[in-house]
Amino acid sequence: MDATTPSRPSSFLCLYVLLLATTLRFADSQSFIGVNYGQVSDNLPPPDATANLLKSTTIGKIRLYGADPAIIKALANSGISIVIGAANGDIPNLASDPNAAAQWVNANVLPYYPASKITLITVGNEVLTSGDQSLTSQLVPAIRNVQNALNSASLGGKIKVSTVHSMAVLTQSDPPSSGSFNPDLQDTLKELLSFQRDNKSPLTINPYPFFAYQSDSRPETLAFCLFQPNSGRVDSGNGKLYTNMFDAQVDAVHSALSALGYQDIEIVVAETGWPSSGDSNEVGPSVDNAKAYNGNLINHLRSLVGTPLMPGKSVDTYIFALYDEDLKPGPGSERAFGLYKTDLSVSYDVGLARSSQQVREFLYLHWSKIVE
């Protein structure tokens, strides 16, 4: 070896430095991991405390169900992307009056943007499966008026507009390749999807393996829902193997989009999660199951493996929810989806903290592979 030939240790050092830089970026944040911030509670911490909590994690996005100014302002200059929402009750006014949409944007976006990184406005939540035909017919006009208001404010290419759907918009989802939308909703969906293609906005959906398990509580189904070792399920339509319910549900949505010719539209998971407790007659809620689902989901997203029909990328995913919400109606599980307690401590650890220990473990694992 002559003097110009780099030594083996030097090569290793270069690899180590590159790995360290990559890891630090990895540990800083994952833009595809988000969280829902529901506020149906009487014991939430102050907005600044919530903002500081989020900044101490690798969470890159937050979804609000409304447009709480205190939270939006608290997240200014944090780099955290923010989804804000117009409520179902706002839709008739937004649909009928372009000025009302302009006023909504003027009140809820312009005072905060761009310091607060608002990236998406959701108009309505699960409207198409609400059974309210009047609201359904007004949904797309309301979305168009909000989009036009953004365009007028020169924000049309920077902030997207969408609406959030439950999985009930599909009448077929198993196997995933057979995914199809409810025929009764297809006229509205085609109008909506045409708008979304023109404006490059995502279809946002709420897949919950938790609810799938409640309707099929076999042990093998639980493992399939929790990303735990299982024999998997082969899609009889295309032969692809699924090892978890999340991928199966997301791909069913992709198949439904493809069936209508809109396979190019991005899918965003607006909600998914697992409760840590529930009523005695509920199947599935527990700390162990919640930790397994959310922790394994995060690891799955970080792997960037994607789904069988959409490999090599992770869909933007908002985990439900940041905190437990003690005032929510319904079964006990509805009040127990929080990743964090309202005293800002973790409900259970799913690896979201910006931790030097995580970096060390990641480096040790990959350094071991380099020197072998």
Side-chain angles (χ1 to χ4, degrees):
M1 177 171 22
D2 61 32
T4 62
T5 304
S7 66
R8 182 179 175 86
S10 297
S11 300
F12 278 10
L13 181 60
C14 290
L15 284 171
Y16 185 82
V17 171
L18 178 61
L19 185 61
L20 176 60
T22 302
T23 305
L24 291 174
R25 287 197 298 272
F26 168 86
D28 186 46
S29 68
Q30 282 85 50
S31 63
F32 43 79
I33 296 175
V35 67
N36 288 268
Y37 182 26
Q39 295 174 265
V40 188
S41 177
D42 60 3
N43 61 350
L44 295 173
D48 286 345
T50 292
N52 287 333
L53 170 64
L54 290 168
K55 287 185 280 189
S56 74
T57 73
T58 57
I59 293 168
K61 300 173 180 289
I62 187 168
R63 177 183 169 220
L64 308 179
Y65 289 84
D68 187 310
I71 294 293
I72 296 171
K73 284 191 286 189
L75 290 170
N77 303 309
S78 67
I80 295 171
S81 299
I82 307 167
V83 178
I84 61 174
N88 289 6
D90 295 330
I91 289 174
N93 198 30
L94 294 173
S96 63
D97 185 1
N99 289 328
Q103 290 169 8
W104 195 95
V105 168
N106 289 343
N108 297 302
V109 177
L110 298 188
Y112 316 111
Y113 185 90
S116 296
K117 192 179 174 183
I118 299 168
T119 56
L120 178 67
I121 297 170
T122 57
V123 178
N125 189 52
E126 302 188 349
V127 171
L128 296 189
T129 50
S130 68
D132 188 329
Q133 295 304 314
S134 175
L135 209 58
T136 294
S137 67
Q138 296 174 92
L139 177 61
V140 176
I143 289 173
R144 289 191 185 280
N145 282 343
V146 172
Q147 181 68 63
N148 290 337
L150 288 171
N151 294 346
S152 296
S154 299
L155 295 176
K158 300 172 183 176
I159 300 175
K160 308 298 184 184
V161 187
S162 188
T163 189
V164 178
H165 305 293
S166 77
M167 285 292 290
V169 294
L170 274 64
T171 51
Q172 181 72 26
S173 61
D174 186 24
S177 63
S178 71
S180 59
F181 290 116
N182 184 336
D184 295 336
L185 302 175
Q186 284 195 13
D187 287 346
T188 300
L189 275 167
K190 286 178 180 177
E191 186 182 6
L192 174 63
L193 293 171
S194 178
F195 163 88
Q196 293 185 291
R197 172 178 281 165
D198 290 344
N199 292 277
K200 297 181 172 57
S201 71
L203 180 138
T204 51
I205 191 80
N206 295 342
Y208 275 94
F210 168 67
F211 295 125
Y213 174 63
Q214 287 196 312
S215 62
D216 176 9
S217 55
R218 294 173 297 167
E220 58 266 33
T221 301
L222 181 62
F224 189 67
C225 289
L226 297 181
F227 301 84
Q228 292 174 335
N230 65 91
S231 58
R233 299 179 181 182
V234 176
D235 187 316
S236 59
N238 58 22
K240 293 187 180 295
L241 177 66
Y242 285 83
T243 59
N244 66 82
M245 181 67 77
F246 177 83
D247 283 355
Q249 291 184 327
V250 171
D251 272 359
V253 176
H254 178 73
S255 294
L257 286 170
S258 298
L260 294 182
Y262 290 97
Q263 62 273 11
D264 55 314
I265 288 181
E266 178 190 2
I267 295 170
V268 166
V269 172
E271 283 183 27
T272 191
W274 200 286
S276 59
S277 65
D279 296 332
S280 59
N281 63 341
E282 289 190 87
V283 177
S286 74
V287 170
D288 286 345
N289 287 349
K291 180 177 180 178
Y293 178 74
N294 289 316
N296 290 334
L297 169 64
I298 289 165
N299 289 336
H300 181 59
L301 294 171
R302 285 174 173 166
S303 76
L304 300 178
V305 69
T307 71
L309 293 183
M310 295 182 290
K313 69 179 290 290
S314 290
V315 298
D316 286 1
T317 298
Y318 294 81
I319 297 171
F320 188 86
L322 184 58
Y323 301 119
D324 287 344
E325 297 176 80
D326 64 336
L327 299 182
K328 288 194 76 173
S333 60
E334 285 292 313
R335 295 177 286 282
F337 276 86
L339 296 171
Y340 295 87
K341 299 176 182 178
T342 53
D343 65 2
L344 305 178
S345 62
V346 295
S347 298
Y348 44 85
D349 185 11
V350 291
L352 286 172
R354 292 190 185 188
S355 159
S356 58
Q357 178 63 29
Q358 285 179 300
V359 175
R360 286 195 297 271
E361 290 174 356
F362 184 89
L363 286 171
Y364 177 78
L365 173 65
H366 289 78
W367 175 250
S368 298
K369 290 179 180 178
I370 290 173
V371 298
E372 284 174 356

